[in-house]
Amino acid sequence: VERGAREASLGVAPKNSRFGGRGGRGEMYTGEGAKYLWELTDDEGIINSFDDGPSPPLEPWETGFHSTGGFLAPAFAGDAVATWSPQPNSGKSYWLDDVQVRELEPQLHPDVVGGWWFPEDASVDARRLTCSLRAACVGAGVQMNFGAEYEVKSLEMSKGTCEGVHLANGKIYSANSIIVANGSWMRHLLPLPVTPHKGQSFSLRMPTNAPPILSRVLFAQDTYIVPKADGRIIVGATVEPGRFDGDVTPSGLMHCLSEATRLIPSLGDLPIEESWAGLRPTTPDKCPILGMTEQWDNVYIAGGYWRNG
């Protein structure tokens, strides 16, 4: 989990804690995997929970699944969304006029002329989902190694097989099958056309004592706005090709904020809670690279997901 010097940390839930309350469901997650569930602590062990939005709050093992009427792609006159149509077999979608889109989202800017509605889409909290996946893997017996000492420095290839995975600490692992899934750094191990596209984003906090400003995901020409189950609204994102840094910049945040408030002007009055930057592994055609390699019989590739995970 990024955002400074914090780590995922959760032990067995005591009965008198909020993790063990509500029927003691915290006891479902014990053992080694439980410490990877969602709860952030700083270096002094102080809990920094972001779950003060809904009531009751989300439990550490919940992934923030949020389904409130799919997602909406609003359009302004003449922009890419106004002249775009969904791909075949992409799920149910409907074009709504300017009156219909405001029946779904009343806070849309007056210049929005319509939009595509995808009623069956939903979202999850990516950080919570990652923590839950990590906990499930450890619970199933997967050994997970983290830190700079476990960075993979090279793959030992011989006679059409990968015979060793060389780590920064000098150790060499061997395996029947190896999956290369190191994101934007894939070309450091294999000759593949994967480069980073940096994206800056931030989150806003919806007030708990007022009706929600937004109910469903909005995806426009240069921005997306995602309401989360914990009361946050995620706003993103820049697209900066070739950037490996994780810096958040004023120009990046201003770009995201201006595009978001162009869609929903009232977002400009909400407090900013977090900001961050990430790297999207990107191929020239924006399509992922998946499956077994032709050159090595035990090497598989999973990467190049760009913006679509």
Side-chain angles (χ1 to χ4, degrees):
V1 179
E2 298 179 348
R3 321 286 187 275
R6 299 172 177 175
E7 61 181 10
S9 177
L10 174 68
V12 179
K15 287 183 179 295
N16 60 351
S17 77
R18 76 178 182 88
F19 307 138
R22 310 218 305 262
R25 289 186 293 158
E27 297 177 3
M28 295 166 54
Y29 289 86
T30 60
E32 184 67 20
K35 69 181 181 181
Y36 294 109
L37 292 173
W38 174 255
E39 187 68 19
L40 298 183
T41 61
D42 61 19
D43 291 335
E44 298 178 353
I46 299 173
I47 292 177
N48 294 277
S49 175
F50 298 107
D51 293 338
D52 56 353
S55 180
L58 298 176
E59 295 284 12
W61 53 83
E62 293 183 281
T63 60
F65 180 81
H66 195 55
S67 178
T68 55
F71 86 83
L72 186 65
F76 293 92
D79 72 0
V81 179
T83 58
W84 169 81
S85 60
Q87 294 292 323
N89 303 318
S90 60
K92 291 184 178 180
S93 59
Y94 306 93
W95 173 260
L96 305 181
D97 61 26
D98 59 336
V99 175
Q100 292 171 316
V101 292
R102 286 178 180 80
E103 290 176 349
L104 294 182
E105 296 297 342
Q107 298 288 333
L108 284 170
H109 192 281
D111 290 343
V112 170
V113 297
W116 286 98
W117 178 39
F118 297 79
E120 297 180 351
D121 276 64
S123 67
V124 296
D125 186 316
R127 296 185 297 185
R128 282 180 162 275
L129 180 63
T130 300
C131 290
S132 294
L133 175 61
R134 188 177 295 178
C137 288
V138 171
V142 176
Q143 179 181 340
M144 308 189 78
N145 299 319
F146 303 98
E149 63 186 296
Y150 292 104
E151 177 187 354
V152 177
K153 304 300 289 187
S154 64
L155 302 176
E156 182 180 339
M157 307 297 196
S158 178
K159 299 178 182 179
T161 299
C162 180
E163 296 186 346
V165 178
H166 292 247
L167 305 184
N169 60 12
K171 293 183 179 180
I172 302 175
Y173 287 167
S174 60
N176 293 331
S177 299
I178 296 165
I179 301 175
V180 179
N182 58 333
S184 295
W185 293 265
M186 188 170 287
R187 60 167 45 185
H188 292 184
L189 298 177
L190 295 172
L192 295 168
V194 177
T195 58
H197 280 203
K198 175 182 168 181
Q200 300 183 50
S201 303
F202 63 90
S203 65
L204 305 171
R205 171 63 63 182
M206 282 195 288
T208 58
N209 57 352
I213 291 176
L214 186 67
S215 297
R216 56 186 50 75
V217 175
L218 301 185
F219 191 89
Q221 179 171 306
D222 289 314
T223 188
Y224 58 78
I225 308 171
V226 186
K228 295 295 186 179
D230 64 359
R232 293 178 301 139
I233 297 179
I234 307 298
V235 177
T238 62
V239 179
E240 303 170 58
R243 298 285 299 274
F244 271 104
D245 66 274
D247 297 333
V248 176
T249 64
S251 61
L253 293 183
M254 287 176 63
H255 169 82
C256 296
L257 185 59
S258 64
E259 293 296 328
T261 53
R262 183 171 177 245
L263 271 182
I264 306 285
S266 55
L267 292 179
D269 297 325
L270 298 183
I272 295 178
E273 186 170 85
E274 297 179 86
S275 61
W276 62 90
L279 303 180
R280 310 177 187 91
T282 308
T283 62
D285 62 1
K286 306 295 194 299
C287 292
I289 304 174
L290 298 170
M292 181 184 290
T293 60
E294 296 180 358
Q295 297 87 347
W296 302 284
D297 58 13
N298 65 336
V299 177
Y300 297 81
I301 299 173
Y305 302 116
W306 198 49
R307 298 172 66 174
N308 298 320

